């Protein structure tokens, strides 16, 4: 089993964005040392609880302080950007760190629609435009533009012999079909929507068309994980995420909380129902418990790679969770 990291650069209670980014540096160094396969950074906007607005900048920073782990976006929200600029950003990263860069692409805005419009005023939120952006990106990253086309007249620089690994991120089956059509790898965000994922990945495999950079389908699944030395600590970490996800559903996104803020809350029956549903987006427990649950998840999806997202009120608990997970799977 390959294990990877999804880092959203969370800002803890009493902390700030600068500290959150320093914590990302520390976690990347640890993941590199522990044997994690890749380290992905998310793109989010208009929030006080996450610091990662520009994965391409963080990738450059983290690649410079690690030795072997792959660095990438999880993902770049393509409709927020010019496809040409994304191609040049990631060609530059690949030129500096050849063979270590992933370009994970998402279709969601990574925030609200008003912010998405300001990031890219030409964004009409039309799915057809996203498809065209994928066509453009593919041509610019591989120098395979049709003769006389716009992509041939305007080339993405720097010109390099290698290409970042291309992934499409999805929490639905639709983007999975795009990944199959364009011959890209697929990562299913089970931590966003824990329904229908195995079928979406199966459909992706069935319809996959080989491309210049990927000859066979490749898939992974992303999941929230809270691994601790004791069941009590794991339950506390899970309780904080229970409240966080429930608050997201109520439109409250800017949360900086710890266990003391949630331990005495009494939930309504309806809220308890939502908490149980959201528990499907995460795995929590001791190393033995977590490993068993993750192996079941990987088997259901038929994948050999898990992308782990962990957000905790205390940074030491976050580091410990990734350390225990690596030990339990023997990836060190």
């Amino acid at each position: 089993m390959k294990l990877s990291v999804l880092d959203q650069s969370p800002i803890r209670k009493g902390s700030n964005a600068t500290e959150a980014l320093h914590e990302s540096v520390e976690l990347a160094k640890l993941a590199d040392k522990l044997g994690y396969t890749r380290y992905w950074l998310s793109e989010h906007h208009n929030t006080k609880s996450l610091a990662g607005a520009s994965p391409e900048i963080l990738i450059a920073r983290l690649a410079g302080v690690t030795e072997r782990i792959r660095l990438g976006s999880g993902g770049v929200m393509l409709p927020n950007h010019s496809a040409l600029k994304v191609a040049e950003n990631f060609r530059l990263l690949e030129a500096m760190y050849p063979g270590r860069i992933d370009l994970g692409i998402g279709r969601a805005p990574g925030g609200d629609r008003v912010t998405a419009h300001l990031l890219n005023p030409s964004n009409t939120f039309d799915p057809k435009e996203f498809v065209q952006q994928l066509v453009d990106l593919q041509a610019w990253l591989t120098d395979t533009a049709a003769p006389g086309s716009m992509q041939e007249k305007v080339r993405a620089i720097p010109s390099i012999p290698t290409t970042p690994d291309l992934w499409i991120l999805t929490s639905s089956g639709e983007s999975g079909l795009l990944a199959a059509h364009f011959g890209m790898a697929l990562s299913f965000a089970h931590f966003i929507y824990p329904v229908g994922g195995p079928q979406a990945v199966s459909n992706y495999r069935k319809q996959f068309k080989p491309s210049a950079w990927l000859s066979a389908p490749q898939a992974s699944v992303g999941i929230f994980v809270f691994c601790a030395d004791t069941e009590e600590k794991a339950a506390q970490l899970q309780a904080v995420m229970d409240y966080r996800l429930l608050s997201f559903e109520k439109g409250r996104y800017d949360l900086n909380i710890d266990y003391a803020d949630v331990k005495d809350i009494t939930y309504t029956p309806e809220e308890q129902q939502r908490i149980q549903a959201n528990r499907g987006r995460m795995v929590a427990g001791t190393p033995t418990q977590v490993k068993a649950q993750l192996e079941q998840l990987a088997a259901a999806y038929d994948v050999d790679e898990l992308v782990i997202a962990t957000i905790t009120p205390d940074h030491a608990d976050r580091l410990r969770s990734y350390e225990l997970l690596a030990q339990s799977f023997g990836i060190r």
Side-chain angles (χ1 to χ4, degrees):
M1 184 68 65
K2 292 182 289 186
L3 299 180
S4 296
V5 177
L6 172 61
D7 181 7
Q8 298 174 317
S9 300
I11 301 173
R12 296 176 294 102
K13 182 179 180 180
S15 186
N16 55 56
T18 298
E19 288 185 3
L21 297 174
H22 284 312
E23 288 168 1
S24 288
V25 173
E26 185 178 1
L27 179 57
K29 289 180 179 179
L30 178 66
D32 189 40
K33 177 183 177 182
L34 292 175
Y36 281 80
T37 298
R38 63 189 89 244
Y39 193 104
W40 281 357
L41 298 146
S42 65
E43 175 187 339
H44 288 91
H45 303 282
N46 196 25
T47 176
K48 296 179 181 178
S49 60
L50 303 174
S54 301
E56 62 274 17
I57 294 177
L58 269 175
I59 289 169
R61 173 75 173 101
L62 300 185
V65 298
T66 54
E67 296 180 0
R68 52 125 232 109
I69 195 169
R70 296 189 66 90
L71 276 297
S73 56
V76 164
M77 301 296 107
L78 192 56
N80 291 342
H81 309 282
S82 152
L84 175 60
K85 185 58 177 173
V86 172
E88 292 194 325
N89 283 342
F90 279 81
R91 274 200 147 183
L92 183 58
L93 288 168
E94 177 69 15
M96 292 190 295
Y97 305 102
R100 290 185 60 201
I101 302 300
D102 294 336
L103 171 50
I105 302 161
R107 188 176 63 178
D112 58 89
R113 283 205 167 195
V114 173
T115 304
H117 172 73
L118 292 174
L119 286 165
N120 181 7
S122 65
N123 182 6
T124 66
F125 304 97
D126 184 346
K128 294 180 181 179
E129 290 190 356
F130 178 68
V131 174
Q132 184 60 50
Q133 283 190 295
L134 291 175
V135 172
D136 296 341
L137 193 64
Q138 186 178 46
W140 276 318
L141 286 172
T142 59
D143 293 322
T144 55
S149 66
M150 174 186 65
Q151 296 91 343
E152 183 190 47
K153 295 177 181 177
V154 179
R155 296 185 179 182
I157 62 169
S159 180
I160 55 176
T162 58
T163 302
D165 280 4
L166 300 177
W167 292 74
I168 286 185
L169 316 180
T170 187
S171 58
S172 68
E174 186 174 347
S175 291
L177 297 179
L178 291 175
H181 175 78
F182 285 98
M184 298 180 183
L186 177 70
S187 186
F188 190 92
H190 188 95
F191 67 95
I192 294 178
Y193 190 64
V195 178
Q199 186 60 51
V201 172
S202 176
N203 291 339
Y204 156 76
R205 288 196 178 95
K206 291 176 182 176
Q207 301 193 39
F208 180 84
K209 298 179 180 179
S211 61
W213 52 80
L214 192 62
S215 60
Q218 180 180 356
S220 67
V221 57
I223 181 77
F224 285 125
V225 173
F226 307 97
C227 191
D229 291 283
T230 66
E231 291 185 14
E232 180 183 10
K233 169 60 77 171
Q236 292 176 1
L237 299 177
Q238 187 177 46
V240 175
M241 183 55 74
D242 287 340
Y243 182 83
R244 186 185 298 272
L245 295 179
L246 186 63
S247 297
F248 287 172
E249 293 179 351
K250 297 178 180 180
R252 297 173 55 204
Y253 298 100
D254 293 326
L255 294 175
N256 298 95
I257 56 174
D258 57 24
Y259 181 65
D261 296 319
V262 305
K263 65 184 181 66
D264 295 324
I265 292 177
T266 300
Y267 294 106
T268 67
E270 292 77 14
E271 289 173 332
Q272 291 174 354
Q273 186 176 26
R274 287 308 310 154
I275 287 173
Q276 288 304 312
N278 284 330
R279 288 277 177 96
R281 301 162 62 179
M282 67 183 84
V283 168
T286 62
T288 300
Q289 294 168 334
V290 167
K291 182 182 181 184
Q293 293 179 69
L294 289 179
E295 287 177 337
Q296 291 176 1
L297 182 72
Y301 277 84
D302 190 22
V303 298
D304 65 357
E305 181 174 354
L306 299 168
V307 184
I308 308 302
T310 302
I311 299 177
T312 61
D314 188 293
H315 183 53
D317 289 335
R318 191 173 180 226
L319 298 177
R320 183 60 174 161
S321 181
Y322 281 107
E323 186 176 36
L324 290 173
L325 195 60
Q327 292 172 356
S328 67
F329 276 93
I331 67 169
R332 302 190 71 167

